Amino acid sequence: MTSQAFKPRRTSTIDHDPLSAPHIYYGESHKKNARVRTYSAIIESQGRNATTAGLKQPARRISHDEQSIQPRKFLVHVESTLKTLLSREDTDNNMQITIEDEGPKVLSIGTEKSGGFNKFDVRGTYMLSNLLQELTLAKDYGRKTIILDEARLNENPVNRLSRLIRDSFWNGLTRRIDGSNIEKVGRDPKDWTADPRPRIYVPRGAPEQHAYYTRIAQEHPDMRLDVQWLQEDCSDDAYVRDLNAAPGLLAIAMEEYEDPETGKKDLRGLPFVVPGGRFNELYGWDSYMESLGLLINDRVDLVKSMVQHFCFCIKHYGKILNANRSYYLCRSQPPFLTDMALRVYERIKHEPGALDFLREAILAAIKEYYSVWMHAPRLDPVTGLSRYRPGGLGVPPETEASHFEHLLEPYAKNHNMSFEEFVEAYNHQKVSEPDLDEYFLHDRAVRESGHDTSYRLEKVAANLATVDLNALLYKYETDIARTIRGHFGDKLPIPAEFCTKEMTAGCVETSAAWDRRAKKRRLAVDKYLWNEEKGMYFDYDTVKKEQTTYESATTFWPMWSGLATPRQAAVLVSTALPKFEVFGGLVSGTEESRGAVGIDRPNRQWDYPFGWAPQQMLAWVGLQRYGYEPEAQRLAYKWLYMVTKAFVDFNGVVVEKYDVTRPIDPHKVEAEYGNQGSDFKGVPREGFGWVNASYIYGLQMVNAHMKRALGACTTYDTFVKATEALGFY
Ligand SMILES: OC[C@H]1O[C@H](O[C@H]2O[C@H](CO)[C@@H](O)[C@H](O)[C@H]2O)[C@H](O)[C@@H](O)[C@@H]1O
Ligand SMILES: [Ca+2]
């Protein structure tokens, strides 16, 4: 095979940042720098005989540029290199290059300096998968030939992942709901109907949005946008069930803006971040978790608007929704609004309107507190504690079709019906099955808790005063007290639209009442949820009137919210922490609590051996709050190492959850609907919202030594040995 050299038009002194974001690096301005007249094809076919180890030999080298003092750049023809790379290295044909592929793990590509004549070996899974990612991006931008900096291929993985999250993933996950975007965000991978189409439900209190979307639908008939009013009482169980025949988005906050070109005023959706994968809408607690990373990445605008969306939801739907789809209308999620709003306020307090923003959020949180969490059916009047206990009827439609088969098949059989016939009859109360009613009451509560699903909660969730929820409400109470005192002169008048019947006479809130509520909750939590003997918190069954025994990582949430006393915190660290600490950080629950799993008792994704970003982040913050800095850093290191290693070995993967006991491929989780975030072609574009955030947030917690060690993919044990040997710790 012969090789023809390029004659590049310029030397390699391009004035650019080799690690700039893809739209800059591959976008128009960069394009002109890589115009070439000819291209020398990669030598691909030689040396491909199998070795004894079953691996293929690298392609034959021509001339190699092994030595270079200048940062190396390559001159690459995008399409042909992609083709060669995939055919040699992606041996399991999943459009990713991972440690499971059995290719030669080396590809020679032409150097820019030699006009592509001399070759350099790109070696190993990480560099090759980065090459695949870069070529895929270049192709997206319509590039035929590129000059590629080696720095993009061998970049320190910690820097690379942080950079991708900051420059690409957040943008990939950002949505606005308006005419410009409704086709994208209207798409619902969970839609079960025969004719999925963009549909938006607008609450009665937002007529301007109804008029807006009606106009958009008329202007763009090709979108097939269906615009519907919601009825006034939009949480009525039967009404929400009936909407399942035509599922759709629920309208969220919009702003007025002026088109800079035409000078015309119009509405525009406020942006927000979706979790990723099948979750393409605004979620409750995911948004909070995402905000912890977004704020570090200076995306205050996004977090601020997510707070505004939550205020809109409380005003128009009566709660912060599980997510803004019609089938979530009865359901909320773990409440984090006060903390989220206060974090934003800290960043914008010098701006005009900042205090109004905070006031609006605190008023909304107060309304939510009274009317959702301290109200029937979620409030347990005996203990004064709260439960996840949403309304709703029938089988949750958004789950995987097979999720309830095992449970429902026997009922269908008894009624002599097919599975589908039975679900239809049961949902519309044409057959009565009280046991199933009870089952689904708890199932809906499991989903409201965000911990869907887990043997901690199955068949009992709606009766539990959980540690998690009550720790969060304590945070509301203390945040609200502190804010009223510190920002509103200890008197917060409540406008009529935020008043509920539980509010004090004259509708003025003062900090003293909120301090009392917090104190009362702490006493109740100590009485019902704290277990002195076992040295940790447990949920309390308000019907059986006893503590449960399932050991859950939620036991650390009282440290996050400041509910635990310093002594309780010390006991949690010495007694509970060792039960949950594993290879990749904290596991959701202990193996013993989960019990045996098998064909008839499948794995649940919020049980052992799985670990989730929110559990890690809340525990880190809690540990720091009580002065357990080394423990917080250790847990953060373990989690970050696991995420980094999977990212390096599996083509940049970042997923919804991890098997934190599995060192080699922790992202492989086969529970319930599988793992979200792993199914991409060539290049990851989104990661997963809360794991992205945990990565950015975690990196702020670990020290400089740890950060360096993570960049070199050093396990925690090796890191400790090395630093001990050097006398650092
Ligand atoms: O479709 C099944 C369930 O999916 C959601 O739960 C999971 O994803 C959410 C978004 O990332 C997350 O908030 C939750 O903690 C996860 O378990 C949804 O929230 C459930 O309501 C739904 O039934
Ligand atoms: Ca592969």
Side-chain angles (χ1 to χ4, degrees):
M1 180 177 281
T2 56
S3 169
Q4 250 190 321
F6 286 107
K7 290 224 177 95
R9 284 184 176 177
R10 55 177 178 77
T11 59
S12 55
T13 53
I14 315 170
D15 180 22
H16 76 291
D17 172 5
L19 299 175
S20 52
H23 69 280
I24 299 170
Y25 196 80
Y26 298 116
E28 279 305 314
S29 62
H30 200 87
K31 219 171 188 172
K32 57 180 181 300
N33 291 329
R35 237 177 266 130
V36 288
R37 277 183 257 158
T38 55
Y39 177 72
S40 97
I42 301 287
I43 313 265
E44 58 177 304
S45 54
Q46 288 91 344
R48 298 188 65 190
N49 304 332
T51 63
T52 43
L55 298 180
K56 288 168 194 151
Q57 295 287 355
R60 182 171 62 84
R61 298 173 181 193
I62 306 181
S63 296
H64 273 66
D65 267 6
E66 299 288 5
Q67 309 273 321
S68 172
I69 346 151
Q70 294 280 347
R72 191 174 283 113
K73 295 172 198 290
F74 304 109
L75 189 52
V76 190
H77 186 265
V78 174
E79 191 65 53
S80 62
T81 313
L82 248 181
K83 216 169 138 212
T84 307
L85 180 63
L86 284 168
S87 70
R88 286 163 56 102
E89 300 290 350
D90 177 22
T91 57
D92 60 6
N93 297 318
N94 66 349
M95 297 293 284
Q96 298 175 7
I97 296 173
T98 72
I99 53 167
E100 289 172 351
D101 287 308
E102 297 183 340
K105 301 282 182 197
V106 59
L107 186 79
S108 300
I109 54 177
T111 62
E112 188 229 5
K113 225 167 50 179
S114 70
F117 181 77
N118 292 343
K119 305 289 169 190
F120 183 82
D121 288 346
V122 173
R123 287 179 184 276
T125 300
Y126 179 59
M127 279 185 80
L128 289 165
S129 80
N130 286 346
L131 178 60
L132 171 62
Q133 294 170 43
E134 296 300 327
L135 293 174
T136 309
L137 289 169
K139 193 175 169 191
D140 281 0
Y141 283 91
R143 299 295 302 276
K144 300 271 179 278
T145 315
I146 52 168
I147 291 170
L148 180 63
D149 288 85
E150 189 185 20
R152 280 179 105 81
L153 304 184
N154 61 8
E155 187 180 3
N156 171 321
V158 169
N159 297 348
R160 182 172 172 87
L161 178 50
S162 314
R163 184 172 63 76
L164 291 185
I165 293 170
R166 189 194 61 218
D167 294 345
S168 301
F169 291 179
W170 291 135
N171 292 338
L173 293 169
T174 299
R175 307 278 184 273
R176 287 176 192 272
I177 305 184
D178 58 26
S180 70
N181 204 307
I182 194 140
E183 267 187 306
K184 186 171 182 194
V185 73
R187 198 182 61 84
D188 184 359
K190 299 179 254 46
D191 194 320
W192 52 88
T193 61
D195 179 26
R197 61 185 286 190
R199 176 175 293 110
I200 184 128
Y201 287 98
V202 184
R204 293 283 161 176
E208 69 292 349
Q209 289 209 26
H210 194 274
Y212 170 84
Y213 286 116
T214 305
R215 174 167 58 78
I216 295 291
Q218 281 160 1
E219 285 171 2
H220 304 278
D222 47 311
M223 273 190 197
R224 300 179 65 238
L225 175 62
D226 183 17
V227 186
Q228 297 281 341
W229 278 115
L230 271 182
Q231 76 171 30
E232 199 66 55
D233 174 10
C234 61
S235 306
D236 175 74
D237 290 349
Y239 172 68
V240 175
R241 176 206 55 204
D242 292 343
L243 292 182
N244 289 341
L249 278 171
L250 299 171
I252 47 179
M254 299 185 86
E255 62 181 351
E256 230 187 48
Y257 92 114
E258 199 179 288
D259 188 318
E261 278 168 24
T262 62
K264 272 191 176 169
K265 285 196 174 154
D266 204 353
L267 290 182
R268 177 169 70 174
L270 288 180
F272 60 96
V273 171
V274 300
R278 72 202 292 253
F279 305 114
N280 189 28
E281 47 273 316
L282 171 82
Y283 276 77
W285 75 319
D286 293 67
S287 299
Y288 171 73
M289 298 299 158
E290 287 153 6
S291 74
L292 298 178
L294 286 165
L295 289 173
I296 297 170
N297 284 159
D298 290 328
R299 302 304 306 271
V300 184
D301 55 323
L302 282 173
V303 186
K304 182 179 174 197
S305 61
M306 292 200 280
V307 169
Q308 289 168 308
H309 285 311
F310 288 161
C311 296
F312 182 99
C313 289
I314 292 170
K315 186 166 168 199
H316 295 282
Y317 307 120
K319 60 181 79 66
I320 295 176
L321 299 164
N322 181 151
N324 68 320
R325 297 272 179 196
S326 50
Y327 44 90
Y328 291 135
L329 264 166
C330 297
R331 203 186 298 163
S332 192
Q333 265 200 325
F336 284 92
L337 178 56
T338 55
D339 191 76
M340 192 166 164
L342 283 163
R343 282 174 189 269
V344 174
Y345 177 74
E346 267 312 300
R347 297 289 293 270
I348 63 165
K349 58 187 174 200
H350 51 281
E351 294 175 11
L355 203 58
D356 290 338
F357 161 86
L358 183 63
R359 181 184 292 107
E360 176 90 6
I362 295 297
L363 287 171
I366 291 175
K367 184 173 180 194
E368 181 204 7
Y369 175 89
Y370 284 130
S371 56
V372 179
W373 303 113
M374 294 302 282
H375 197 278
R378 290 177 178 86
L379 175 69
D380 171 46
V382 179
T383 58
L385 295 171
S386 302
R387 308 170 291 196
Y388 293 110
R389 204 177 169 100
L393 272 180
V395 181
E398 78 283 2
T399 58
E400 289 277 282
S402 59
H403 189 82
F404 295 110
E405 258 170 23
H406 199 69
L407 171 79
L408 297 177
E409 284 291 2
Y411 289 91
K413 218 165 165 195
N414 275 352
H415 288 276
N416 223 356
M417 291 176 178
S418 70
F419 180 80
E420 289 73 23
E421 284 166 350
F422 175 75
V423 171
E424 177 68 12
Y426 172 70
N427 284 351
H428 291 85
Q429 295 156 301
K430 289 184 187 136
V431 293
S432 166
E433 289 293 352
D435 290 354
L436 275 188
D437 296 347
E438 178 77 8
Y439 179 90
F440 283 113
L441 165 73
H442 297 304
D443 183 81
R444 285 189 288 273
V446 173
R447 293 172 197 285
E448 181 166 83
S449 80
H451 292 69
D452 47 286
T453 64
S454 157
Y455 290 117
R456 166 167 80 106
L457 303 169
E458 192 164 294
K459 298 185 188 156
V460 67
N463 296 344
L464 296 183
T466 64
V467 182
D468 24 320
L469 178 57
N470 288 286
L472 298 184
L473 293 175
Y474 178 83
K475 185 73 164 53
Y476 262 45
E477 290 152 352
T478 50
D479 281 348
I480 292 169
R482 190 161 51 89
T483 310
I484 295 179
R485 216 171 17 243
H487 295 289
F488 301 113
D490 213 359
K491 268 200 182 95
L492 182 63
I494 310 291
E497 58 181 308
F498 288 100
C499 272
T500 71
K501 62 179 181 330
E502 293 83 358
M503 286 183 182
T504 47
C507 264
V508 172
E509 292 285 325
T510 60
S511 64
W514 290 94
D515 286 331
R516 275 198 303 277
R517 288 186 186 112
K519 211 165 164 189
K520 201 170 149 205
R521 190 174 305 273
R522 176 181 263 167
L523 288 174
V525 166
D526 280 348
K527 177 169 173 191
Y528 296 105
L529 311 185
W530 174 250
N531 187 317
E532 182 63 29
E533 202 185 312
K534 296 202 174 137
M536 58 191 283
Y537 294 96
F538 290 89
D539 302 324
Y540 178 79
D541 187 323
T542 57
V543 172
K544 286 192 185 156
K545 303 202 180 309
E546 63 188 26
Q547 237 180 37
T548 64
T549 56
Y550 187 108
E551 295 165 335
S552 161
T554 47
T555 200
F556 300 110
W557 292 26
M559 288 178 70
W560 174 81
S561 68
L563 171 60
T565 61
R567 195 188 71 83
Q568 283 168 325
V571 175
L572 281 166
V573 171
S574 61
T575 315
L577 190 53
K579 289 178 185 274
F580 297 93
E581 188 171 341
V582 292
F583 169 78
L586 286 179
V587 70
S588 285
T590 60
E591 188 171 12
E592 195 188 344
S593 292
R594 179 203 63 184
V597 287
I599 290 181
D600 289 332
R601 197 170 181 271
N603 258 329
R604 297 300 194 204
Q605 61 176 0
W606 282 89
D607 286 331
Y608 182 95
F610 308 119
W612 293 73
Q615 304 287 25
Q616 319 300 320
M617 288 193 275
L618 296 184
W620 303 338
V621 175
L623 287 164
Q624 270 190 328
R625 182 175 188 142
Y626 288 81
Y628 296 96
E629 191 70 39
E631 286 79 0
Q633 291 208 345
R634 185 177 75 225
L635 288 177
Y637 188 103
K638 290 183 171 185
W639 175 258
L640 294 170
Y641 170 78
M642 179 192 65
V643 174
T644 310
K645 191 70 177 33
F647 172 79
V648 165
D649 289 346
F650 290 90
N651 206 120
V653 80
V654 174
V655 284
E656 178 193 26
K657 59 201 169 245
Y658 290 84
D659 179 338
V660 281
T661 65
R662 201 173 161 115
I664 305 296
D665 48 6
H667 64 297
K668 291 199 174 164
V669 173
E670 273 163 30
E672 311 195 23
Y673 50 74
N675 217 345
Q676 303 300 301
S678 55
D679 184 23
F680 56 83
K681 306 279 172 235
V683 62
R685 294 166 193 283
E686 305 180 336
F688 195 86
W690 57 28
V691 175
N692 298 344
S694 72
Y695 201 75
I696 300 296
Y697 197 73
L699 282 176
Q700 281 233 322
M701 303 199 53
V702 295
N703 63 36
H705 277 136
M706 289 175 149
K707 227 170 164 172
R708 268 199 298 279
L710 283 167
C713 280
T714 313
T715 63
Y716 182 72
D717 289 350
T718 309
F719 169 73
V720 170
K721 274 186 210 133
T723 45
E724 272 171 2
L726 291 170
F728 284 151
Y729 289 93

